[in-house]
Protein backbone atom coordinates (compact mmCIF):
# COMPACT_ATOMS: atom_id res chain seq x y z
CA UNK A 1 0.00 0.00 0.00
CA UNK A 2 1.26 3.47 -0.86
CA UNK A 3 1.30 6.16 1.75
CA UNK A 4 3.21 8.35 4.15
CA UNK A 5 4.62 7.13 7.42
CA UNK A 6 5.78 9.22 10.33
CA UNK A 7 7.60 8.00 13.37
CA UNK A 8 7.41 8.00 16.25
CA UNK A 9 3.74 8.69 16.98
CA UNK A 10 4.54 10.22 20.38
CA UNK A 11 7.86 11.77 21.37
CA UNK A 12 9.02 13.24 24.64
CA UNK A 13 12.06 15.45 24.81
CA UNK A 14 13.92 17.22 27.54
CA UNK A 15 14.62 20.90 27.15
CA UNK A 16 17.89 21.56 25.37
CA UNK A 17 17.85 18.36 23.33
CA UNK A 18 17.64 18.09 19.56
CA UNK A 19 15.21 15.53 18.18
CA UNK A 20 14.57 14.22 14.66
CA UNK A 21 11.13 13.32 13.31
CA UNK A 22 10.97 10.82 10.48
CA UNK A 23 8.83 11.14 7.34
CA UNK A 24 8.87 8.56 4.55
CA UNK A 25 6.63 8.26 1.48
CA UNK A 26 6.37 5.55 -1.17
CA UNK A 27 4.01 7.48 -3.44
CA UNK A 28 6.81 8.64 -5.75
CA UNK A 29 5.86 12.24 -5.00
CA UNK A 30 8.28 15.03 -5.82
CA UNK A 31 7.06 17.54 -3.23
CA UNK A 32 7.16 17.13 0.55
CA UNK A 33 6.11 19.43 3.39
CA UNK A 34 6.35 19.81 7.16
CA UNK A 35 3.60 21.51 9.15
CA UNK A 36 3.14 22.34 12.79
CA UNK A 37 -0.30 22.38 14.44
CA UNK A 38 -1.00 23.82 17.88
CA UNK A 39 -4.21 22.98 19.80
CA UNK A 40 -7.28 24.55 18.23
CA UNK A 41 -5.31 26.14 15.41
CA UNK A 42 -4.61 25.64 11.75
CA UNK A 43 -1.49 24.24 10.15
CA UNK A 44 1.64 26.35 9.75
CA UNK A 45 4.30 25.52 7.18
CA UNK A 46 7.79 24.88 8.55
CA UNK A 47 9.74 23.72 5.47
CA UNK A 48 8.93 22.39 2.04
CA UNK A 49 10.83 20.68 -0.74
CA UNK A 50 9.82 20.49 -4.40
CA UNK A 51 12.70 18.29 -5.46
CA UNK A 52 15.54 16.19 -4.03
CA UNK A 53 18.47 18.17 -2.58
CA UNK A 54 16.44 21.37 -2.49
CA UNK A 55 14.20 22.80 0.22
CA UNK A 56 12.75 26.16 1.20
CA UNK A 57 11.81 27.80 4.48
CA UNK A 58 8.15 28.13 5.30
CA UNK A 59 6.53 30.63 7.65
CA UNK A 60 7.98 29.32 10.92
CA UNK A 61 11.38 27.76 10.05
CA UNK A 62 13.34 29.22 12.99
CA UNK A 63 14.60 26.47 15.31
CA UNK A 64 14.02 23.70 12.74
CA UNK A 65 16.18 22.06 10.07
CA UNK A 66 15.50 19.53 7.29
CA UNK A 67 17.30 17.50 4.65
CA UNK A 68 16.12 15.95 1.38
CA UNK A 69 18.81 13.51 0.28
CA UNK A 70 16.33 10.95 -1.07
CA UNK A 71 13.03 11.45 -2.87
CA UNK A 72 11.12 9.34 -0.37
CA UNK A 73 12.51 10.84 2.84
CA UNK A 74 12.21 14.28 4.45
CA UNK A 75 13.31 14.23 8.11
CA UNK A 76 12.72 17.23 10.38
CA UNK A 77 15.06 18.13 13.24
CA UNK A 78 13.68 20.20 16.08
CA UNK A 79 16.66 21.94 17.62
CA UNK A 80 17.15 23.39 21.07
CA UNK A 81 16.79 26.83 19.47
CA UNK A 82 13.05 26.23 19.02
CA UNK A 83 11.56 28.00 22.04
CA UNK A 84 8.21 26.26 22.24
CA UNK A 85 8.39 22.95 20.36
CA UNK A 86 5.46 21.13 21.98
CA UNK A 87 2.99 20.58 19.13
CA UNK A 88 1.53 18.11 16.62
CA UNK A 89 3.82 17.76 13.59
CA UNK A 90 2.44 16.69 10.23
CA UNK A 91 4.35 15.66 7.14
CA UNK A 92 2.71 15.75 3.71
CA UNK A 93 3.60 15.01 0.11
CA UNK A 94 2.14 15.78 -3.30
CA UNK A 95 2.82 14.74 -6.90
CA UNK A 96 3.22 18.36 -7.94
CA UNK A 97 2.23 21.70 -6.50
CA UNK A 98 -1.12 21.48 -8.36
CA UNK A 99 -2.16 18.25 -6.68
CA UNK A 100 -3.59 17.41 -3.30
CA UNK A 101 -1.29 16.97 -0.36
CA UNK A 102 -1.43 13.60 1.37
CA UNK A 103 -0.75 13.76 5.08
CA UNK A 104 1.00 11.30 7.35
CA UNK A 105 -0.51 10.32 10.74
CA UNK A 106 1.56 12.91 12.61
CA UNK A 107 4.01 12.98 15.51
CA UNK A 108 2.97 14.51 18.82
CA UNK A 109 6.03 16.09 20.43
CA UNK A 110 6.06 17.06 24.10
CA UNK A 111 8.93 18.88 25.77
CA UNK A 112 9.30 18.07 29.43
CA UNK B 1 -0.86 36.03 5.20
CA UNK B 2 -3.30 33.55 6.71
CA UNK B 3 -6.72 33.30 4.98
CA UNK B 4 -9.81 34.07 7.03
CA UNK B 5 -12.45 31.37 7.44
CA UNK B 6 -16.06 31.86 8.46
CA UNK B 7 -17.98 30.84 10.39
CA UNK B 8 -15.73 29.61 13.19
CA UNK B 9 -18.20 26.89 14.07
CA UNK B 10 -21.53 25.53 12.90
CA UNK B 11 -23.96 22.97 14.31
CA UNK B 12 -26.19 21.10 11.88
CA UNK B 13 -28.84 18.46 12.07
CA UNK B 14 -28.45 15.55 9.68
CA UNK B 15 -29.75 16.51 6.25
CA UNK B 16 -29.17 20.24 6.65
CA UNK B 17 -26.88 22.33 4.47
CA UNK B 18 -24.01 24.67 5.35
CA UNK B 19 -21.51 26.92 3.62
CA UNK B 20 -17.95 27.55 4.78
CA UNK B 21 -16.12 30.57 3.41
CA UNK B 22 -12.42 31.27 2.92
CA UNK B 23 -11.17 34.74 2.12
CA UNK B 24 -7.67 35.90 1.17
CA UNK B 25 -6.08 39.35 1.12
CA UNK B 26 -3.84 38.27 -1.80
CA UNK B 27 -4.55 37.01 -5.29
CA UNK B 28 -4.96 33.25 -5.30
CA UNK B 29 -3.38 30.61 -7.51
CA UNK B 30 -5.28 27.78 -5.86
CA UNK B 31 -7.41 26.88 -2.85
CA UNK B 32 -7.26 23.50 -1.10
CA UNK B 33 -9.93 22.16 1.27
CA UNK B 34 -9.29 19.53 3.95
CA UNK B 35 -11.29 17.97 6.80
CA UNK B 36 -9.62 16.91 10.04
CA UNK B 37 -11.12 14.77 12.77
CA UNK B 38 -9.82 15.13 16.31
CA UNK B 39 -6.28 13.76 16.71
CA UNK B 40 -6.06 12.62 13.10
CA UNK B 41 -4.36 13.87 9.96
CA UNK B 42 -6.24 16.17 7.57
CA UNK B 43 -7.99 14.45 4.67
CA UNK B 44 -8.13 15.98 1.21
CA UNK B 45 -11.52 17.17 -0.08
CA UNK B 46 -10.94 19.44 -3.06
CA UNK B 47 -8.54 21.69 -4.97
CA UNK B 48 -9.73 24.68 -6.97
CA UNK B 49 -7.22 26.17 -9.38
CA UNK B 50 -7.03 29.54 -11.03
CA UNK B 51 -8.68 29.24 -14.42
CA UNK B 52 -11.51 27.03 -13.25
CA UNK B 53 -10.05 23.54 -12.89
CA UNK B 54 -11.29 21.54 -9.92
CA UNK B 55 -10.12 18.21 -8.52
CA UNK B 56 -11.84 16.46 -5.69
CA UNK B 57 -14.42 14.08 -4.38
CA UNK B 58 -17.69 13.85 -6.26
CA UNK B 59 -19.86 14.41 -3.20
CA UNK B 60 -18.16 17.68 -2.26
CA UNK B 61 -18.83 20.95 -4.05
CA UNK B 62 -17.00 24.24 -3.84
CA UNK B 63 -16.63 27.52 -5.66
CA UNK B 64 -13.68 29.81 -6.35
CA UNK B 65 -14.15 33.49 -7.06
CA UNK B 66 -10.77 34.69 -8.32
CA UNK B 67 -11.85 38.31 -8.50
CA UNK B 68 -13.01 38.40 -4.88
CA UNK B 69 -10.13 36.15 -3.75
CA UNK B 70 -12.63 33.87 -2.03
CA UNK B 71 -13.66 30.25 -1.98
CA UNK B 72 -16.68 28.54 -0.47
CA UNK B 73 -17.24 24.90 0.46
CA UNK B 74 -20.80 23.57 0.35
CA UNK B 75 -21.93 20.82 2.70
CA UNK B 76 -25.18 19.51 1.25
CA UNK B 77 -27.56 17.07 2.97
CA UNK B 78 -25.07 16.69 5.79
CA UNK B 79 -24.30 13.30 7.32
CA UNK B 80 -22.89 12.46 10.74
CA UNK B 81 -19.57 11.66 9.08
CA UNK B 82 -19.25 15.29 7.96
CA UNK B 83 -18.38 16.33 11.53
CA UNK B 84 -14.86 17.64 11.95
CA UNK B 85 -12.80 20.75 11.42
CA UNK B 86 -12.59 22.10 7.89
CA UNK B 87 -9.51 23.97 6.75
CA UNK B 88 -8.85 25.95 3.62
CA UNK B 89 -5.28 26.29 2.41
CA UNK B 90 -4.36 29.02 -0.06
CA UNK B 91 -1.49 29.14 -2.54
CA UNK B 92 -0.70 32.70 -3.61
CA UNK B 93 2.55 32.21 -5.53
CA UNK B 94 1.93 28.89 -7.37
CA UNK B 95 4.74 27.09 -5.53
CA UNK B 96 2.45 24.78 -3.58
CA UNK B 97 3.27 26.68 -0.40
CA UNK B 98 -0.05 26.63 1.44
CA UNK B 99 -1.21 28.93 4.20
CA UNK B 100 -4.09 27.52 6.19
CA UNK B 101 -7.01 29.25 7.85
CA UNK B 102 -7.82 28.74 11.52
CA UNK B 103 -10.52 26.21 10.65
CA UNK B 104 -14.29 25.85 10.87
CA UNK B 105 -15.60 23.32 13.35
CA UNK B 106 -18.63 21.45 12.05
CA UNK B 107 -20.82 19.33 14.30
CA UNK B 108 -23.60 17.26 12.74
CA UNK B 109 -26.18 15.90 15.16
CA UNK B 110 -28.77 13.15 14.62
Amino acid sequence: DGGITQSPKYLFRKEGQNVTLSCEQNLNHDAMYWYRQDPGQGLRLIYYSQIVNDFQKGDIAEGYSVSREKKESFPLTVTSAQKNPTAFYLCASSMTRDNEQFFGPGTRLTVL
Amino acid sequence: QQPVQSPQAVILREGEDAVINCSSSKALYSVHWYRQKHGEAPVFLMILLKGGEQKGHEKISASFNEKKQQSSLYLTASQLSYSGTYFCGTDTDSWGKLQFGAGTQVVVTP
Side-chain angles (χ1 to χ4, degrees):
Chain A
D1 280 342
I4 301 179
T5 56
Q6 290 185 243
S7 60
K9 189 171 182 179
Y10 297 97
L11 187 57
F12 297 90
R13 185 196 99 174
K14 291 183 180 179
E15 277 193 40
Q17 286 181 336
N18 290 356
V19 63
T20 297
L21 282 58
S22 167
C23 177
E24 303 276 332
Q25 54 99 359
N26 60 4
L27 299 167
N28 200 32
H29 286 172
D30 284 319
M32 295 188 75
Y33 312 84
W34 272 105
Y35 294 93
R36 169 182 171 141
Q37 187 174 33
D38 292 285
Q41 298 190 28
L43 288 74
R44 292 184 290 168
L45 184 64
I46 304 172
Y47 269 98
Y48 64 109
S49 168
Q50 299 289 356
I51 197 168
V52 176
N53 291 322
D54 186 54
F55 49 83
Q56 306 295 327
K57 291 182 180 180
D59 298 319
I60 55 165
E62 186 175 347
Y64 300 98
S65 66
V66 293
S67 62
R68 186 87 188 275
E69 296 175 2
K70 297 186 293 183
K71 188 175 184 176
E72 58 271 21
S73 179
F74 192 40
L76 173 75
T77 297
V78 184
T79 74
S80 55
Q82 169 50 234
K83 298 302 178 194
N84 185 20
T86 294
F88 187 42
Y89 290 87
L90 287 157
C91 178
S93 71
S94 65
M95 181 89 69
T96 68
R97 64 193 184 205
D98 290 346
N99 292 91
E100 66 267 32
Q101 295 185 15
F102 291 87
F103 284 84
T107 292
R108 201 167 292 278
L109 173 64
T110 302
V111 174
L112 304 172
Chain B
Q1 193 165 352
Q2 189 180 24
V4 176
Q5 284 186 238
S6 63
Q8 284 186 314
V10 59
I11 300 175
L12 301 167
R13 288 191 184 273
E14 260 187 302
E16 290 183 339
D17 302 337
V19 180
I20 301 171
N21 299 303
C22 177
S23 181
S24 172
S25 59
K26 291 185 175 182
L28 296 172
Y29 175 76
S30 68
V31 180
H32 298 222
W33 286 97
Y34 293 84
R35 178 174 59 221
Q36 185 180 31
K37 298 201 183 255
H38 185 68
E40 298 180 6
V43 172
F44 167 74
L45 297 175
M46 178 161 283
I47 289 181
L48 302 103
L49 293 158
K50 187 176 178 178
E53 185 179 358
Q54 295 188 4
K55 306 177 194 178
H57 297 294
E58 291 178 8
K59 293 187 177 180
I60 299 289
S61 65
S63 64
F64 181 16
N65 187 324
E66 293 177 38
K67 218 172 183 179
K68 290 187 177 180
Q69 297 166 185
Q70 292 175 347
S71 176
S72 296
L73 185 73
Y74 304 96
L75 303 180
T76 305
S78 58
Q79 305 171 17
L80 294 176
S81 61
Y82 287 12
S83 292
T85 301
Y86 290 74
F87 292 100
C88 70
T90 55
D91 182 359
T92 57
D93 60 10
S94 78
W95 277 100
K97 178 185 168 185
L98 296 182
Q99 294 194 310
F100 283 87
T104 295
Q105 188 176 8
V106 173
V107 175
V108 182
T109 62

